Amino acid sequence: MEQNEVILQMVDICKAFDGNQALDHVNFELGAREIHGLLGGNGAGKTTLMNVLYGLYKQDSGDILLKGKKLRIASPRDAIRNGIGMVHQHFLQINNWSVVQNVVLGSSVQNKWTMNLAPEVAKLQKLCDRFAIDIDLQVEVGELPMGTRQKVEILKALYRGVDILILDEPTTNLTPQEVDALFVSLKVMVDEGLSIVFITHKLREVLSVCDRITLLRNGKNVTCMPRSEANEETLVRGMVGEDLNVKDSVIFSKEIREGTKIDEVVTPVLEVKGLRHVTEQGIERLKDVTFSIHPGEIFGIAGVAGNGQLELAETLVGVQSKAGGTIKYNGRELNMVTAELLQQGLTYIPEDRLGDGYLPKVNVAQNLILGAQHKQPYSKNGFIDWRKVFEASWEMIKEYNIKTSGPKDTAANLSGGNIQRVMIARAFSHVGDSLMLAHCPTRGLDIPSMDFVYKKLLARKMQGYATLLISEDLDELLLLCDRIGVMYRGELVGILHRSQFDKYEIGRMMSGVKS
Amino acid sequence: MSKANQTPENKFSVRKLLSHPVMSYLLAILAAFVASGIFIALMGYDPFKAFQTILVTSFRTPNGFIQTLLKWVPLTLLALAFTVPYATMKFNIGGEGQLLMGAIGATIAGILLKGLPPILMVPAVLLAGTLAGAIWGFIPGWLLYRYKINEILTTVLLNFVTFALVNYIATEVYPNPEVGHPTTIRIATEGWLPMLVDNPPLHSGLILMVMVAIGVYAFTNRSTRGYELVATGANPRAAGVFGINVPVMFMMGLVIGGALAGLAGGIEVAGIQHHLIEGMHSNFKILGIIIGLIAKGSSLAVPFVAFFIAVMEVGASAMQRTLNIPIEMVYIVEALILLFVLLVDVVRRK
Ligand SMILES: Nc1ncnc2c1ncn2[C@@H]1O[C@H](COP(=O)(O)OP(=O)(O)OP(=O)(O)O)[C@@H](O)[C@H]1O
Ligand SMILES: [Mg+2]
């Protein structure tokens, strides 16, 4: 690839938060028509660096040069005026507004007062066609799957006419098909003259779309290399130093594990029979779902996101009510009134960590005990023993490698991956006696943390605990599960034992072909 | 070279200064005084004299100090009546009405229970006030729980209901015709709060208030229920997913808030007024909300902020008396303090 002209430079950027040096003399460079991968472990400073560029944070020192000219970016408005747009890791949208309304919101539309959106719709449709973005502009965003909502954000940036687009972990919530579609769009964008900063933890994605890759570790530059020089090994080494022992890891292990033999005599930990769920609008989201999980088993649910996985998880947790069927826990039937399974000892890792599992305004310790606030040793006679809680929190922070200044740190300060580590630490530390429901537990985690979670899940299994693992990452499921049930349109279209695992077969079932 | 190194150092220290909670308050207060000082000067008064009067009156005479303590009691309780529901992110705008309900409850109990010995009578009067306030918190709580009706709306509307109710009781049910203003007859002397100091008069509601404030702090910051209240406010959805009964938490916050304001009303009746009098809430207006917001919802900070505001309120009357500066000036200062406290937060965030 020819050397492109450099359009953006960030030079010697420093940024500290209350004494914690998040960025330490970081340099970053973006060429015209380039897709530049930004890689690094959780809390390495990727999001912070891009927030500086987008005007959300002000750097303590260092310069931003756009086409060689020094630039002061004080707010996202400034950034957009200079052609810089960003799609955040956790973005905000107004659920009961249409796609068009969300996109146009906050921009300086001509007909601000009349809210006549017809011309904008035409404009957006053109943009969609041009960049191969497939989206219905009139539906409410609340009804859209995550992947499409992501596109809405991208569309927002394109609509504002940016020529530098920052994507912060855009693929974490996408299905493989959606990732492919996104990559097609990205290629069109660079052909049309845009430059893209692409943040991800998935090496395969980096190696398939990025022209160059910048590696950060603990707020410092490690290297910047063209794709031709990069491979998985060098990237992992660069990101984590010597932290990851490849030999020991679950991800890189070549060992073949057999599925647990299921003893049919033993009562299953969880027995779900004919489970149905119907939404308030009368749409059937779970149809006759039947499966059981035995002690020492990891039961996986595979499927393209939006095929009833969330409803399954939430019916089990008790957030949504079931329309039919039975749920038995250790042989006893549950009524599923308010969080009954949770009280019986289910531990839950929700898919949407920020929405369903996190209390951003309070401190890290308060987050770590959520759901266990009534349990020993945290609570005694109706009062919380904060000394014990802080002690336990320190231990969790160490064991789960949560990057934070301590239990009293405001939870909102944590990076995306570290928030996920809080979810993990919480679930694994307050082991209810036997069941865990993990929904996309490794979302947003870097590779060593992912490996750590896999080890933890396998250790649970060895101890005889049961796990329900709902994931969109087929590799993850194939690696860990004893059995996999495939969901399609609210139905379990088949359950495969480990000896029957076959990636292509499962892929077919995920698109609705019954086994 | 040295220049490049200096910039981050400097910024860092300013930010650090702002991030210290006490410093940020002092800064906000200073800014509010400077801003309103300019205003006072423009109006043709001497701002230094004005502020001196505002800040010193409370500490110059025993009478001034006791006046301040007497203000401090209801202000603290009213502010807590706001902060407890605010922990769940519900806004109790009805502190005034709940205080009046407390006063009504206490007055009725004090009239009807005539003849009981003080040891039973005083607690009964205060309890009646607390309960009446709690009911006035329960109604919005229940409407929210059952019909999802916004609590801001209902608490404000209930204020108006109470104003009418006070009027009715003071003119129709237990009127005291000797007074020209709608006022009830006095409650039995057995229901009066014992005095700590007789002259100038200071009632023992002060001790009760301090105990209640400590109790509220212990509840919100140390108890498991209090944790659930805070978790609900931080993210109701997540709290619900992890087994906390969120609607009940909303309701609990509002009921406790109502009870606290009701207690304030009960103390006013049993300690100072000894009867229900129309307009008795006008000393407090929305100060409870302002104090709660300046304290940023922290029940630990509330008593301190409330004391400061009590000092200013007492100073304000003196300022009007001696310098002729309208009392409203102090509301401007208070509002500016709130504004600057919030502003410091915004500046700090970057
Ligand atoms: N507003 C903030 N206040 C305090 N600390 C912060 C703030 N934002 C980020 N940090 C800290 O800065 C460091 C870098 O965070 P950043 O979000 O940039 O990480 P990241 O590389 O995006 O990680 P991830 O892969 O987990 O998203 C972290 O240690 C984080 O705790
Ligand atoms: Mg990030």
Side-chain angles (χ1 to χ4, degrees), chain A residues 33-101:
Chain A
R33 297 163 185 260
E34 177 186 39
I35 302 183
H36 196 130
L38 187 54
L39 241 73
N42 295 130
K46 307 177 294 292
T47 301
T48 306
L49 183 66
M50 289 303 121
N51 278 343
V52 167
L53 179 57
Y54 191 54
L56 280 169
Y57 293 145
K58 169 120 192 57
Q59 70 268 33
D60 297 333
S61 68
D63 291 321
I64 299 172
L65 303 169
L66 189 67
K67 302 199 178 98
K69 270 213 299 274
K70 205 159 139 179
L71 199 62
R72 238 186 64 89
I73 304 176
S75 67
R77 196 180 278 268
D78 276 358
I80 288 167
R81 199 175 313 125
N82 285 294
I84 301 168
M86 179 161 178
V87 176
H88 276 92
Q89 200 166 357
H90 309 110
F91 48 78
L92 280 176
Q93 290 171 343
I94 300 176
N95 279 346
N96 54 3
W97 279 18
S98 72
V99 172
V100 190
Q101 285 170 321

Side-chain angles (χ1 to χ4, degrees), chain B residues 96-115:
Chain B
E96 272 176 284
Q98 292 148 7
L99 176 133
L100 286 177
M101 276 310 282
I104 292 173
T107 305
I108 294 177
I111 293 170
L112 290 183
L113 298 177
K114 199 173 185 162

